[in-house]
Amino acid sequence: TQPAAAPPAAEGAEAEGAPKAEGEAPKPEGEAEAKKELEKKYEWVEVKKMKTRTKKTDIPVVVSNGLGIPEPQLQKLCDMETAMQVEMAEIVETDEKKNDLESHIFNMRDKCSESGAYGAFIASAVRDTFMSELMKAEDWLYDTPD
């Protein structure tokens, strides 16, 4: 009879791996492959950045039945606004002039009184006439509507 030969699978396993220690159990092939896959996951790979390309296209914008006021009506309203601004400026100017006139009336009344700055230089009859004219001017100022 012939000596017993080792099964071929056992020989292949010993030939592929490193010599095994006595206390080490042989590892299954699936576990060794999983370990290799883990190592591959952490390999550095150069990533080539691709430039993003943008394509620009001009889009014509045409207003059709746009919201807002039509051009002729807008021009008419702008003219009305300008007229109102001019009128308001006239009102403000008139108010300022009336205020100046009122201030002048009060100042002249104070200065022309007997104890005022001009009192010593004005005769009593002239003073009374001038005071009545100042009173008429003040009444006209308050009675005249804006």
Side-chain angles (χ1 to χ4, degrees):
T1 68
Q2 293 179 339
E11 286 177 4
E14 285 177 12
E16 286 177 16
K20 306 261 185 215
E22 286 182 20
E24 232 178 73
K27 293 184 180 178
E29 286 182 23
E31 199 174 300
E33 286 177 17
K35 193 172 188 180
K36 285 182 183 178
E37 284 179 22
L38 285 176
E39 290 175 8
K40 286 182 182 178
K41 284 184 183 178
Y42 296 109
E43 286 183 18
W44 288 99
V45 179
E46 272 190 50
V47 178
K48 191 174 185 181
K49 283 193 172 185
M50 301 295 289
K51 292 184 178 179
T52 55
R53 295 181 181 177
T54 56
K55 183 177 180 183
K56 294 181 179 180
T57 306
D58 290 335
I59 301 174
V61 177
V62 179
V63 177
S64 61
N65 195 11
L67 300 174
I69 301 172
E71 188 65 32
Q73 188 178 1
L74 180 65
Q75 185 61 40
K76 184 180 177 182
L77 292 172
C78 285
D79 293 342
M80 288 174 57
E81 181 183 10
T82 304
M84 284 191 286
Q85 288 174 349
V86 168
E87 185 180 331
M88 190 65 193
E90 288 175 2
I91 290 171
V92 168
E93 185 179 349
T94 303
D95 286 346
E96 287 175 357
K97 297 297 180 184
K98 283 184 175 182
N99 192 20
D100 290 344
L101 179 60
E102 183 181 21
S103 296
H104 179 71
I105 291 170
F106 289 148
N107 286 337
M108 288 309 292
R109 186 182 298 156
D110 289 341
K111 289 180 180 180
C112 290
S113 67
E114 292 178 11
S115 61
Y118 305 140
F121 305 107
I122 300 175
S124 181
V126 176
R127 180 182 303 120
D128 292 338
T129 307
F130 188 64
M131 289 293 194
S132 67
E133 290 296 323
L134 288 174
M135 185 60 74
K136 285 180 189 176
E138 186 179 359
D139 291 342
W140 172 83
L141 188 63
Y142 292 143
D143 292 339
T144 305
D146 290 335

